[in-house]
Amino acid sequence: MNCCDDCSKSRVSPMRPSRRSMIIGLTSAAVLSASHATAATGASADDERFMRLALDEARQGDYPFGAVIVRDGEVIARGRNLGKTDGDPTAHGEMVAIRRCLADHGSAALHGSTLYTSGEPCAMCMGAIIWCRVGRLVFAASVEQLATKIDQIIIPSAEVAAKATFSPITISSGVLADEAMQLFANKVFPKR
C-alpha cells in the first residue's frame, strides 16, 4: 500500500486537502444541491404569479432585487432594494420585505411562509430568512448568474441552509430567471 493512500500514515498539509476529503466534499455538495433545490421546470402557476410580483418590485428598486412574502396564498409583505435610497447597505429586497412583514404582522407570520425573490439571496439575507423560519424560498436568478452583471458573494442559498439544520427550508430556483436577468441587461450599475 502506498503511504499516500493510508491517511493514518500520511501527513496532509492543512492547506491541501486529501483526495478522500475532496471526493467526500464534492459528493456532499452535489447531494445537498439536489436535496435542497428544485429546478424551475417544476414551477407552478402560483410560483410564476408571485415571482412576477417580486420582479415588479425589482423594477422599482435601486438594484433589480425585489421580494414578496406569501402566506396562505396572499402577499403579506413586499420589498425592493433601497440601499442607495436609504443609505443602508442592508436594505436588500428580502430584508426590506422581512422588516415590513415584522412591522405589520409580527414574527409568527413569517414562520412557514414563502419568500419569492428576483435574485438568489446573499448570505446575509439567507441568514435572516432562516432565522425568521421562512418555510420556502423561491428565487429567479442564481448568484452565479448575477455575478456576471454585478458584484456578488458566491455562496449558494442551499449551502447556507445546509448549515442550519434547526430550521428546514425548501428552495426552488430558476423561476423566471431569464426575465430577472433582463432587468440587469439594460442597466449600468456602479460598483458598490
Side-chain angles (χ1 to χ4, degrees), residues 176-191:
L176 303 180
D178 291 340
E179 289 183 39
M181 289 305 294
Q182 282 298 314
L183 298 176
F184 290 89
N186 302 323
K187 231 173 176 181
V188 176
F189 299 99
K191 291 288 185 182

Side-chain angles (χ1 to χ4, degrees), residues 1-160:
M1 174 188 294
N2 183 336
C3 71
C4 290
D5 294 333
D6 183 1
C7 292
S8 65
K9 293 180 184 176
S10 68
R11 292 182 184 252
V12 178
S13 164
M15 298 304 286
R16 284 188 17 209
S18 70
R19 184 176 3 181
R20 177 178 289 158
S21 66
M22 295 235 348
I23 291 170
I24 291 169
L26 291 171
T27 304
S28 298
V31 169
L32 280 174
S33 294
S35 66
H36 282 87
T38 305
T41 55
S44 70
D46 279 344
D47 286 344
E48 290 188 10
R49 177 170 60 101
F50 291 124
M51 185 59 72
R52 288 192 193 290
L53 295 176
L55 293 172
D56 288 343
E57 288 295 319
R59 286 181 187 91
Q60 301 171 60
D62 295 340
Y63 288 86
F65 293 101
V68 295
I69 299 172
V70 175
R71 183 166 192 85
D72 300 324
E74 299 292 325
V75 174
I76 59 172
R78 298 169 183 263
R80 64 184 72 116
N81 184 293
L82 297 173
K84 187 176 174 184
T85 300
D86 291 354
D88 178 358
T90 69
H92 293 189
E94 300 93 336
M95 298 296 287
V96 171
I98 288 169
R99 289 174 185 150
R100 288 178 177 167
C101 186
L102 289 168
D104 295 344
H105 305 286
S107 63
L110 287 165
H111 294 209
S113 65
T114 300
L115 189 146
Y116 292 85
T117 182
S118 59
E120 184 171 5
C122 69
M124 173 188 70
C125 292
M126 192 60 196
I129 289 165
I130 289 168
W131 284 114
C132 290
R133 306 263 197 272
V134 170
R136 182 168 180 240
L137 167 67
V138 182
F139 65 84
S142 70
V143 290
E144 290 86 5
Q145 290 173 302
L146 295 169
T148 66
K149 301 294 182 185
I150 62 169
D151 293 337
Q152 285 291 293
I153 299 172
I154 313 269
I155 300 176
S157 297
E159 190 174 321
V160 177

